[in-house]
Amino acid sequence: METDFLISLLQIIAIDILLGGDNAIVIALASRNLPEKQRNKAIFLGTGLAIVVRVVLTIVAVYLLNIPFLYLAGGILLLIIAYKLILEEDEELDVKAGKNLSDAVKTIVFADIAMGLDNVLAIAGAAHGNIILVVIGLLVSVPIIIWGSKIILHFMERFPVLIYIGSGVLAFTAAGMIIEEKMLHTVFADNTILEYGLYLFLIIGVLFAGILTNSIKRKAK
């Protein structure tokens, strides 16, 4: 049980770091027009509120996943997120700078909610219903995102293989969610070959689909 807890915790931290790189950019953009003292306040207040909102949303998601077929739907949605992560697309962030502390904090919180839905879903799936895992995972990973995101993004740009590893982690989480779907329990019960087969199929399938799409897009240019 301790090993499972640790694996799930590392999974949550990896997912949050992987999917949370843009959040730090949003924080910087939202507070860029403020004086330095107010900028620091906006970062701490906005991030603090964003963490609280993220924890609440993730806990809600954990309980909602008990509804029949939601684990299956969540797993499929996570596979789509994993696939899109690999695609070579330049996304431009349109974030208005706050005119004052209050505006900047609101921008940070609302942008985090809008951009953090993939994190919420992935973490809820990786937590396997364990609320303690959700809280610890977010508390550990959010500070890493805020102060280390530039380094993380730098390494991702320099070593693209990290993006593929991250996509594989998401596909692994998605497979776990599908296997844990109560309505499919009889299919995977006591059938380890089918269980491990699904993990391999989805991880390899997502990576292959992403690489193939990028290859087709390059040839089309």
Side-chain angles (χ1 to χ4, degrees):
M1 288 298 290
E2 286 181 8
T3 306
D4 289 342
F5 184 91
L6 185 60
I7 290 171
S8 294
L9 181 60
L10 291 173
Q11 219 176 319
I12 287 170
I13 293 169
I15 287 166
D16 219 4
I17 290 171
L18 182 75
L19 295 177
D22 285 344
N23 295 60
I25 298 170
V26 168
I27 291 169
L29 290 173
S31 57
R32 67 184 182 274
N33 287 346
L34 298 176
E36 192 172 343
K37 286 185 179 179
Q38 283 200 325
R39 193 182 303 160
N40 292 332
K41 282 183 181 178
I43 290 169
F44 282 107
L45 281 172
T47 305
L49 287 170
I51 292 170
V52 172
V53 172
R54 186 79 68 86
V55 169
V56 171
L57 287 175
T58 309
I59 291 170
V60 170
V62 166
Y63 285 112
L64 285 178
L65 286 174
N66 290 321
I67 298 170
F69 292 115
L70 265 185
Y71 257 96
L72 177 62
I76 293 168
L77 188 56
L78 209 53
L79 283 173
I80 295 168
I81 293 168
Y83 165 71
K84 285 184 175 179
L85 187 70
I86 300 173
L87 300 185
E88 295 169 354
E89 294 177 352
D90 295 323
E91 295 181 4
E92 292 186 6
L93 291 172
D94 183 21
V95 181
K96 292 180 181 178
K99 295 177 183 177
N100 53 52
L101 181 62
S102 177
D103 282 348
V105 170
K106 284 177 187 175
T107 301
I108 291 168
V109 173
F110 285 117
D112 185 82
I113 293 168
M115 295 171 61
L117 292 177
D118 50 0
N119 304 52
V120 167
L121 178 64
I123 291 168
H128 307 293
N130 192 328
I131 304 302
I132 296 171
L133 265 175
V134 172
V135 176
I136 294 174
L138 286 169
L139 288 177
V140 171
S141 56
V142 171
I144 295 172
I145 292 167
I146 296 163
W147 286 289
S149 63
K150 287 184 181 178
I151 298 169
I152 294 161
L153 290 170
H154 169 74
F155 277 106
M156 281 186 176
E157 287 172 5
R158 193 168 180 181
F159 305 105
V161 69
L162 292 175
I163 295 170
Y164 291 95
I165 292 169
S167 182
V169 170
L170 290 180
F172 178 85
T173 304
M177 289 178 74
I178 293 168
I179 288 166
E180 286 189 21
E181 172 58 56
K182 291 177 183 178
M183 306 305 287
L184 299 176
H185 181 70
T186 52
V187 177
F188 296 100
D190 302 319
N191 194 335
T192 52
I193 294 173
L194 186 62
E195 187 177 325
Y196 289 126
L198 183 68
Y199 275 108
L200 282 172
F201 175 75
L202 292 182
I203 291 168
I204 293 169
V206 164
L207 293 174
F208 177 76
I211 292 167
L212 183 64
T213 304
N214 285 335
S215 177
I216 292 168
K217 281 184 177 180
R218 285 193 213 106
K219 287 178 182 177
K221 288 181 180 180

